[in-house]
Amino acid sequence: MRILVTGAAGMVGRKLIERLAHDGTLWGRRITALDLHDIVPAQKPGIDGAEVNIHASDLAREGVAEQLAAARPDVVFHLAGVVSGEAEANFELGYRVNLDGTRGLFDAVRLAGHAPRVVYTSSIAVFGAPFPDVIPDEFHPTPLTSYGTQKLIGEVLLADYTRRGFFDGIGIRLPTICVRPGKPNKAASGFFSGIVREPLAGQEAVLPVPRSVVHTHASPRSAVNFLIHAAEIDGDRVGPRRNLTMPGVAVSVGEQIEALGRIAGAKAVALIREQPDEAVWAIVKNWPTRFEARRARDLGFVAEQSFDEIIRAHIEDGAAA
């Protein structure tokens, strides 16, 4: 089996590759080749008996997607993208990477003519206010950010290319992935991880929004499990509605902080400094809060049941990984 991963140098991409290298198989078949693409070189994993190719280039540049698709991968994990805050701040970059790059990749796979499984990482940012208390699977996506708009267009393309038989696509709307290890990125949601990650490391963290903000989270461990399950699931079970909202843990920021206190104590909580940021709040206040995610759960997608579990997963999996 040959696998292509775009966005391979990102946090979720790295953890997915570690999992693939550890398992050595996907969909019951031995992995024989990995093509790892990102704008910067991804780290080369050790995987017995498998060819590993590192590709560092701009996916939206002419000819790049065609080169990747020419290898005829059996599974494509499309993780590449500009994150929410950066896509909102840089309109042209967001559309070029998140839309043009996605369309280019999908078209290159179409022209390669072998109809692989394509797993596309979308986002709950495809939904926009006003929201019900719990968002059902049938809730109409109406994004209120450029990032959410770009992801929604990708979802529609994925569904149409699947309908036409160009590939077999599954789109997964990820909740905020928390706690993200390593350094902060430019995602507007970055503080959700920062108020846990930094205090656990003995560092100060800034909270730019009210503690009453409610949001849905899943750990990086769950994100990788979502991706693997999406790659292996029977498409007939999913049906024509190929984009699924993933499950997660819905908690307020205050409940996040309470969970941190239970696990790391009052000294860790004291390192959180509340400093309102209107730019961040302008984005976050229009985000959805709680999801039903019944379709995904019925199809076997599983996430944590509490934010305590998410913090423990961060500690167990290596806070610096």
Side-chain angles (χ1 to χ4, degrees):
M1 168 172 284
R2 188 176 203 106
I3 298 172
L4 166 63
V5 181
T6 72
M11 184 274 293
V12 174
R14 294 195 307 271
K15 288 186 174 291
L16 171 63
I17 293 161
E18 289 172 6
R19 170 72 177 274
L20 293 171
H22 176 270
D23 293 352
T25 62
L26 184 68
W27 222 341
R29 296 168 55 188
R30 186 173 68 87
I31 298 170
T32 57
L34 281 173
D35 291 302
L36 309 179
H37 178 273
D38 212 319
I39 195 71
V40 297
Q43 185 173 351
K44 189 172 185 177
I47 177 168
D48 293 339
E51 168 194 347
V52 179
N53 301 297
I54 306 298
H55 307 269
S57 57
D58 183 348
L59 185 62
R61 198 181 72 213
E62 185 176 354
V64 171
E66 289 80 1
Q67 179 186 3
L68 296 171
R72 298 172 68 87
D74 300 285
V75 176
V76 177
F77 291 100
H78 181 35
L79 315 182
V82 172
V83 295
S84 55
E86 189 172 9
E88 195 67 13
N90 191 330
F91 182 85
E92 292 181 357
L93 178 66
Y95 271 90
R96 190 175 65 80
V97 174
N98 293 342
L99 178 54
D100 297 344
T102 295
R103 171 70 189 279
L105 177 64
F106 286 1
D107 234 25
V109 171
R110 172 180 70 87
L111 294 171
H114 64 297
R117 167 59 55 85
V118 174
V119 179
Y120 169 62
T121 51
S122 186
S123 167
I124 58 174
V126 301
F127 299 109
F131 301 115
D133 290 340
V134 178
I135 297 170
D137 289 323
E138 296 77 18
F139 190 74
H140 192 275
T142 310
L144 295 177
T145 63
S146 294
Y147 175 75
T149 300
Q150 294 147 16
K151 286 297 184 180
L152 180 58
I153 296 171
E155 288 189 7
V156 176
L157 291 173
L158 178 118
D160 193 43
Y161 279 50
T162 298
R163 179 185 66 84
R164 296 293 298 264
F166 300 145
F167 55 64
D168 185 11
I170 303 290
I172 58 173
R173 295 171 182 147
L174 293 175
T176 291
I177 302 305
C178 183
V179 177
R180 300 180 68 93
K183 296 180 180 179
N185 63 15
K186 294 183 179 180
S189 60
F191 69 88
F192 287 119
S193 288
I195 60 172
V196 176
R197 180 185 59 234
E198 272 70 80
L200 284 174
Q203 301 170 4
E204 184 181 80
V206 173
L207 174 60
V209 302
R211 292 191 180 209
S212 59
V213 167
V214 175
H215 202 60
T216 296
H217 308 271
S219 71
R221 181 190 297 178
S222 286
V224 170
N225 288 339
F226 296 158
L227 290 164
I228 296 293
H229 190 56
E232 297 180 332
I233 197 169
D234 183 350
D236 289 340
R237 288 186 61 206
V238 180
R241 295 166 58 202
R242 286 305 179 104
N243 296 285
L244 300 162
T245 302
M246 294 294 100
V249 178
V251 292
S252 68
V253 170
E255 289 169 328
Q256 279 187 265
I257 294 171
E258 289 171 6
L260 175 65
R262 286 191 292 272
I263 291 171
K267 288 185 177 180
V269 170
L271 291 169
I272 299 171
R273 176 167 54 87
E274 298 186 43
Q275 180 179 310
D277 185 318
E278 289 302 320
V280 174
W281 176 237
I283 296 174
V284 173
K285 69 181 180 181
N286 290 315
W287 281 353
T289 54
R290 306 176 190 273
F291 296 89
E292 184 181 57
R294 181 177 296 175
R295 285 190 67 219
R297 294 181 196 277
D298 289 347
L299 288 166
F301 291 91
V302 178
E304 289 81 11
Q305 298 297 308
S306 72
F307 201 80
D308 294 60
E309 288 182 60
I310 288 177
I311 296 177
R312 291 193 182 99
H314 173 68
I315 295 169
E316 291 167 8
D317 291 348

